[in-house]
Amino acid sequence: MTDTAAVLPAHNEESHVQDVIARIGETGLVDHTIVVDDCSSDETAARVEATDALLLSNERNRDYGGAIKRGYERAIELGVDVIFRLDADGQHDPDELHRFSRKLERSDCQYVLGNRFADPSFRDAMPLDRRFGNRIVALATSLRLGKRVHDPPCGYRAMDANVLAQTPYRSFSNDFQIGVEEILAFDSLGAGIDEVPISCIYADEESSLTYYDGLKFLYPNVTWWNRPETSTTLEQFARR
């Protein structure tokens, strides 16, 4: 029987986090919902404590990637087989977890990335500069992988926890480029990578990404292979 966890990084998400947790539970797909409160200054932690979710509270701000890595570590400690990742701000529809789950049921797929650009309304609504930046990141990542990846910055994804444990995930960036590093790490281990179309819901939340963040998404495509800890991990995995 497959054991699953959903990891949600959260920073000042009191308005949305309870509803997201409840909707995740309604899917019946997730055994453990792990919310990592990254030093929120609002009632995020209290809202999570009022649910059945597991709350991890950072004593210092670890940023987006740092919160995700802490959630991954706990999920792996729990011994789960599948990890879903989605944001706590309500932009990702938990009902679409089924799409990720079905992909991971295939023996040739160990990593599933959401694709917001499959929805023409999202593509048309995105400002031209952000659309251009995303296309550049997608092109660079696709060239690095040798296969088409449409939306590398997307935070909605799912993965085989056992494969994740073989990557150097603890050394991934504490910033947003963790998403690209994940993709490259899974690919380097020979994991099957696929995509599913997702919707993206915008209400009162605002993106915190800057132009500089957009440039940093390109960085892993240039440097990831040169990490010594990555080479060590891959050698250990190859000997298994």
Side-chain angles (χ1 to χ4, degrees):
M1 184 174 179
T2 302
D3 199 20
T4 64
V7 171
L8 287 73
H11 180 71
N12 292 339
E13 300 297 351
E14 65 178 12
S15 299
H16 303 281
V17 67
Q18 267 187 302
D19 179 63
V20 173
I21 292 169
R23 294 183 62 198
I24 289 172
E26 290 169 0
T27 67
L29 290 173
V30 177
D31 299 297
H32 312 278
T33 299
I34 302 169
V35 181
V36 185
D37 177 28
D38 195 31
C39 289
S40 296
S41 58
D42 63 3
E43 296 298 312
T44 294
R47 301 292 168 83
V48 177
E49 288 176 334
T51 72
D52 294 330
L54 173 61
L55 172 66
L56 303 179
S57 295
N58 290 341
E59 295 180 358
R60 60 178 176 80
N61 189 276
R62 298 191 182 190
D63 295 325
Y64 183 73
I68 288 169
K69 290 189 291 185
R70 189 177 182 195
Y72 284 169
E73 189 167 32
R74 188 55 180 271
I76 290 171
E77 288 173 353
L78 290 171
V80 303
D81 304 295
V82 169
I83 297 175
F84 301 103
R85 168 151 72 87
L86 62 163
D87 293 340
D89 60 5
Q91 288 191 19
H92 300 146
D93 185 354
D95 290 341
E96 294 173 346
L97 285 170
H98 291 276
R99 300 179 184 179
F100 294 87
S101 182
R102 284 194 293 267
K103 285 283 187 180
L104 286 176
E105 289 174 356
R106 292 173 17 197
S107 61
D108 62 344
C109 182
Q110 289 78 42
Y111 193 89
V112 187
L113 180 66
N115 176 17
R116 296 167 294 178
F117 289 93
D119 181 354
S121 64
F122 173 81
R123 183 171 61 248
D124 295 340
M126 177 177 280
L128 183 60
D129 55 349
R130 288 191 180 276
R131 194 188 318 168
F132 177 76
N134 193 296
R135 294 300 86 198
I136 294 297
V137 174
L139 176 60
T141 307
S142 298
L143 290 172
R144 191 62 184 266
L145 295 180
K147 66 172 292 182
R148 185 75 181 273
V149 179
H150 293 85
D151 195 5
C154 181
Y156 202 174
R157 51 189 73 195
M159 64 204 74
D160 184 309
N162 297 311
V163 179
L164 175 67
Q166 302 305 318
T167 71
Y169 73 91
R170 292 182 183 87
S171 69
F172 288 170
S173 171
N174 289 336
D175 217 325
F176 288 97
Q177 63 257 39
I178 185 176
V180 176
E181 291 174 319
E182 278 181 17
I183 297 169
L184 297 178
F186 270 74
D187 177 72
S188 70
L189 293 176
I193 298 173
D194 209 340
E195 298 178 327
V196 293
I198 63 165
S199 55
C200 196
I201 306 162
Y202 289 106
D204 56 346
E205 60 280 340
E206 296 182 3
S207 174
S208 60
L209 289 176
T210 65
Y211 291 113
Y212 180 56
D213 291 320
L215 289 174
K216 288 191 290 186
F217 277 117
L218 293 171
Y219 187 71
N221 286 301
V222 177
T223 65
W224 192 86
W225 277 101
N226 297 323
R227 291 188 175 189
E229 64 270 24
T230 297
S231 299
T232 300
T233 300
L234 296 181
E235 290 170 3
Q236 292 173 348
F237 186 75
R239 289 197 294 266
R240 286 174 174 264

